[in-house]
């Protein structure tokens, strides 16, 4: 899924792609944390060790204000009972900022799960 968002007063757009990736073996027993890395010209941000049904699809909602990106984690999920481990992931495609904070919220919660300080070298 690809999203286009306008980055507040700065007047540039950011293109994103959301991915529903299964966990690696090392994520299965790990606590859920927010992680990020650069991937060429892109930035990849994910939360590891999230348990949902096998048909779950990560459907984030993004809002951007100045140098702060709010990501709200939502799922399309039929909750068929059996749980699988996922790493909900967002890819920022060719971001034009030097640094930004990404605040990761679970659904409509008012307190963020974690904050990632994103920087481009």
């Amino acid at each position: 899924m690809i999203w286009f968002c306008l980055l507040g007063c700065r007047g540039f757009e950011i293109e994103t792609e959301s991915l529903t990736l299964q966990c690696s073996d090392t994520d299965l027993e790990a606590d859920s944390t927010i992680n990020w890395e650069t991937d060429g010209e892109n930035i990849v941000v994910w939360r590891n060790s999230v348990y949902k049904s096998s048909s779950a699809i990560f459907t984030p909602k993004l809002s951007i204000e100045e140098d702060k990106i709010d990501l709200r984690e939502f799922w399309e999920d039929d909750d068929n009972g059996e749980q699988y481990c996922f790493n909900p992931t967002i890819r920022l495609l060719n971001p034009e900022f030097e640094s930004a904070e990404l605040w990761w919220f679970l659904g409509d919660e008012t307190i963020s799960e974690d904050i990632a300080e994103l920087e481009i070298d």
Side-chain angles (χ1 to χ4, degrees), residues 52-115:
K52 297 288 180 185
S53 69
S54 62
S55 61
I57 299 172
F58 176 51
T59 57
K61 304 260 189 274
L62 288 136
S63 61
I64 301 170
E65 185 175 319
E66 296 183 22
D67 61 351
K68 181 182 172 211
I69 303 167
D70 286 350
L71 183 147
R72 296 204 171 267
E73 178 183 321
F74 291 102
W75 292 83
E76 290 178 16
D77 189 358
D78 63 8
D79 196 16
N80 65 13
E82 192 171 354
Q83 300 286 298
Y84 289 85
C85 183
F86 292 102
N87 292 338
T89 303
I90 191 92
R91 184 184 313 270
L92 306 174
L93 304 172
N94 300 311
E96 296 181 13
F97 57 80
E98 291 180 15
S99 65
E101 291 182 342
L102 186 135
W103 292 53
W104 194 295
F105 295 87
L106 301 182
D108 291 323
E109 293 291 322
T110 56
I111 298 174
S112 68
E113 181 73 8
D114 203 353
I115 301 170

Side-chain angles (χ1 to χ4, degrees), residues 21-29 48-49 85-87:
L21 304 176
Q22 287 196 333
C23 296
S24 67
D25 290 339
T26 58
D27 293 321
L28 294 177
E29 299 298 323
N48 67 306
S49 304
C85 183
F86 292 102
N87 292 338

